Amino acid sequence: KSKADSEKLNLVTQWAYKAVLMVQQTMKTTDGKEKKVIVTQFLKEILQEKNITLSDAQIEILIEAAVKQIKLQENAGIVIEATDDVEV
């Protein structure tokens, strides 16, 4: 069970990262709060489809971690673009 839980968390982390990246690239004029609402809703829909239960606080942590990771990569000069290669 622990390995399955770890794999699910890894997938959810990837979804959060890709969702944040996609919203940042496609909604440049949208403010941060609205972007967060969109990403949160997207993640909740995927989690429901996959029968994975996370609290709102856990989802928020995943989103914030994804935002931080993207900002660190941008500051390091790493060019990243959203792709559709995430397993769903």
Side-chain angles (χ1 to χ4, degrees), residues 9-50:
L9 180 59
N10 189 27
L11 268 179
V12 174
T13 302
Q14 286 181 40
W15 294 332
Y17 177 82
K18 295 292 187 174
V20 168
L21 186 59
M22 182 269 305
V23 167
Q24 285 187 343
Q25 289 183 349
T26 61
M27 305 178 124
K28 293 184 189 300
T29 59
T30 306
D31 76 3
K33 286 182 182 178
E34 192 174 340
K35 289 178 186 177
K36 189 172 185 178
V37 168
I38 293 166
V39 172
T40 300
Q41 186 59 41
F42 172 77
L43 287 176
K44 285 182 175 183
E45 288 173 12
I46 289 179
L47 291 170
Q48 190 171 4
E49 284 175 21
K50 299 296 181 183

Side-chain angles (χ1 to χ4, degrees), residues 17 21 66-81:
Y17 177 82
L21 186 59
V67 169
K68 179 76 171 175
Q69 182 181 3
I70 290 168
K71 285 185 178 180
L72 287 172
Q73 289 172 333
E74 287 173 348
N75 290 339
I78 298 170
V79 177
I80 48 178
E81 293 196 17

